[in-house]
Amino acid sequence: MEMRVYGEPYETAKGATIITVARLGGSRFGPRDVAAVPVGVFVIHDGAVTWKPAVDETRIALMAVSIGLASAVLATLAVLRRPPWPDLSRR
């Protein structure tokens, strides 16, 4: 079961109020373990509320590297296993 947890609001030196948000869910270590993952923060400044999401750059970079590796493998296979008909000539 997944839950959202909101942190205690605190005020910055510039007068903005920050409220952190995390997601609690089951861990891979067992059903009784709980893992907290940051989701983002609410920023309240001059009466306006904005949402700033937490971005996981590691996941984005891993996906980019995986896509690059897969495209390199496919390109290598295409070059090594090209069809024979360009080499055929009419006699």
Side-chain angles (χ1 to χ4, degrees):
M1 183 169 141
E2 187 176 297
M3 295 176 40
R4 303 265 184 222
V5 178
Y6 300 92
E8 291 290 323
Y10 63 93
E11 192 168 337
T12 65
K14 295 183 179 181
T17 302
I18 307 290
I19 301 172
T20 59
V21 182
R23 180 181 71 225
L24 291 179
S27 172
R28 61 181 163 201
F29 301 114
R32 295 182 186 199
D33 293 330
V34 175
V37 178
V39 177
V41 295
F42 285 109
V43 180
I44 305 168
H45 188 63
D46 293 334
V49 178
T50 56
W51 169 253
K52 304 288 184 180
V55 178
D56 187 4
E57 288 105 6
T58 304
R59 182 177 288 178
I60 294 171
L62 182 62
M63 188 168 31
V65 168
S66 299
I67 290 171
L69 179 63
S71 64
V73 167
L74 289 174
T76 302
L77 288 175
V79 168
L80 292 178
R81 297 182 49 109
R82 67 187 183 96
W85 50 84
D87 294 334
L88 296 176
S89 61
R90 190 171 180 163
R91 292 182 190 194

